[in-house]
Amino acid sequence: MTDVGRLPAGTLDAATGPPRPQIQVVPLRGLPIVAAVVAFVIASIAGNWLWALTFCHVVGGALWTAIDLFVGLIVGPILGRLSIPARAEFSARFMPKMVLLMPTLVLMTLAAGFQLALKEGNLAPTSPNHAWLIVSYCIVGVMAVIALGVLEPANIAVLVEMRKPAPDGEVIARLMRRFLVTAGITGVMQVATLIIMTRVATQ
Amino acid sequence: MIADPAAVPVRPIDRRFPPVAELATVSLALVVVGGVLMASYVPRRPPLGVPGAIAAVSAALVLTSVFLLSRLHRFAWDRFFLAFRWGLLAYVISAGMIAFAFIRDHTRGAPLALVLGMLVIFALDVPLIIAFTVARYATPPD
């Protein structure tokens, strides 16, 4: 796995290379897109539109799962082998986008998915999908706690640290270690979600 | 000559803090468990005993976390409140959407009140964890 957790203290400050890019913790230009997506999800739920709910759930869920697995299994290990300035530059451009993208995809997937399950009758106790959906709630619950309680605070704290004139490599390393510790858990959870959702869709 | 150790400022990373983020994360986990229990009964009326007890413990944990936080001296409060304000805005919107879905699906009375209570805890927990994590690594103003 990645060894971003082994970044020594003060290395970012001492690192030579291209000047560090200006970091915006929350990319403001992305907020109108997020607002449009949220408005679309609200309208889909209010109107109980089957196509729109399916679109939000399938597109949101596919992107969420794919990005999570791709970043955890492909990008993370590559990032761990880059030079420290390259890692810092990549993270400075990549992580602000994730701050907006992932919560929006999660909100879109879960809100539309719950409404869709209700509309399709999958939440009824007599439905063969009921037990599968309860298991998926539990999986999503674990992922939500990891994402909201562990990863998102670390992501934002890393970005704030990188905005400082002399970022502390040890702080960034300590925070990034959380991504390594949880990558395996979220990977397994995402694969389990794929199995459950394909099972639910075909019963 | 040996410098007075008390005069040497401690780096934020070396400072020990009370378990503010840990307690808030457990509180968040409990709210999620309560939410899963409630959601697993939809569209039927859920029994409220266990989710209510879980919500009460969760609320107690977040209050303890806030109490511990309020007792901190030399803390980057400016950073904390900056991150907390924006986090609160984002998670009030998230919680509002979830509340809207429950209301839209005709959840009423005590179950709705319990869900709203859990959403309030959720909307406080996440910004609290984010803001504390950001501020604990910031150098407090002199």
Side-chain angles (χ1 to χ4, degrees):
Chain A
M1 290 304 285
T2 57
D3 59 354
V4 284
R6 294 187 202 125
L7 214 61
T11 37
L12 287 182
D13 192 27
T16 54
R20 288 191 295 126
Q22 184 65 37
I23 297 171
Q24 200 171 24
V25 177
V26 178
L28 298 179
R29 279 187 301 179
L31 287 178
I33 300 170
V34 173
V37 171
V38 170
F40 182 61
V41 176
I42 291 173
S44 308
I45 293 171
N48 220 1
W49 303 323
L50 180 61
W51 173 82
L53 292 171
T54 308
F55 177 86
C56 289
H57 185 61
V58 172
V59 172
L63 287 172
W64 175 14
T65 307
I67 292 172
D68 225 13
L69 290 174
F70 184 73
V71 171
L73 302 178
I74 310 287
V75 176
I78 293 172
L79 194 59
R81 293 186 188 95
L82 294 179
S83 67
I84 290 167
R87 257 187 259 178
E89 191 174 358
F90 177 84
S91 303
R93 294 177 196 280
F94 177 73
M95 290 171 83
K97 291 176 176 59
M98 297 295 272
V99 168
L100 280 191
L101 181 65
M102 294 313 280
T104 309
L105 289 179
V106 171
L107 192 66
M108 186 178 166
T109 308
L110 299 186
F114 189 76
Q115 191 66 21
L116 190 61
L118 196 61
K119 184 178 170 65
E120 296 286 282
N122 287 324
L123 293 178
T126 50
S127 166
N129 287 328
H130 184 257
W132 287 100
L133 290 178
I134 303 303
V135 175
S136 89
Y137 292 169
C138 297
I139 290 171
V140 163
V142 173
M143 287 199 292
V145 173
I146 290 173
L148 299 175
V150 180
L151 298 182
E152 198 182 5
N155 191 0
I156 292 172
V158 166
L159 289 170
V160 170
E161 186 65 31
M162 289 174 83
R163 279 172 65 100
K164 293 179 183 171
D168 187 338
E170 203 178 328
V171 168
I172 294 171
R174 182 184 284 188
L175 290 164
M176 294 292 275
R177 216 169 288 146
R178 295 185 185 190
F179 290 89
L180 308 184
V181 171
T182 55
I185 303 171
T186 49
V188 170
M189 297 280 166
Q190 289 290 12
V191 172
T193 303
L194 287 175
I195 293 168
I196 291 170
M197 287 302 139
T198 47
R199 177 97 198 170
V200 165
T202 50
Q203 284 203 119
Chain B
M1 210 169 105
I2 299 167
D4 176 11
V8 179
V10 180
R11 289 167 65 217
I13 193 168
D14 296 327
R15 212 177 138 191
R16 292 184 66 83
F17 284 94
V20 173
E22 288 82 352
L23 288 176
T25 305
V26 175
S27 165
L28 174 68
L30 287 174
V31 155
V32 168
V33 170
V36 168
L37 272 174
M38 299 279 286
S40 66
Y41 279 90
V42 172
R44 295 164 293 159
R45 186 186 167 89
L48 300 180
V50 176
I54 288 173
V57 175
S58 176
L61 286 176
V62 75
L63 288 175
T64 308
S65 181
V66 170
F67 173 73
L68 292 174
L69 184 68
S70 69
R71 292 170 58 87
L72 284 178
H73 298 291
R74 276 192 48 77
F75 189 62
W77 289 110
D78 54 338
R79 277 289 165 87
F80 176 85
F81 284 114
L82 180 69
F84 186 79
R85 269 202 306 270
W86 286 106
L88 190 64
L89 176 67
Y91 284 93
V92 163
I93 292 171
S94 281
M97 260 195 75
I98 299 169
F100 167 71
F102 273 91
I103 292 167
R104 170 75 183 68
D105 293 326
H106 312 293
T107 306
R108 296 284 182 272
L112 179 62
L114 187 54
V115 166
L116 293 180
M118 286 178 173
L119 288 174
V120 169
I121 299 171
F122 163 79
L124 286 173
D125 271 333
V126 184
L128 180 64
I129 301 166
I130 291 173
F132 178 77
T133 308
V134 167
R136 68 168 292 168
Y137 294 114
T139 308
D142 291 322

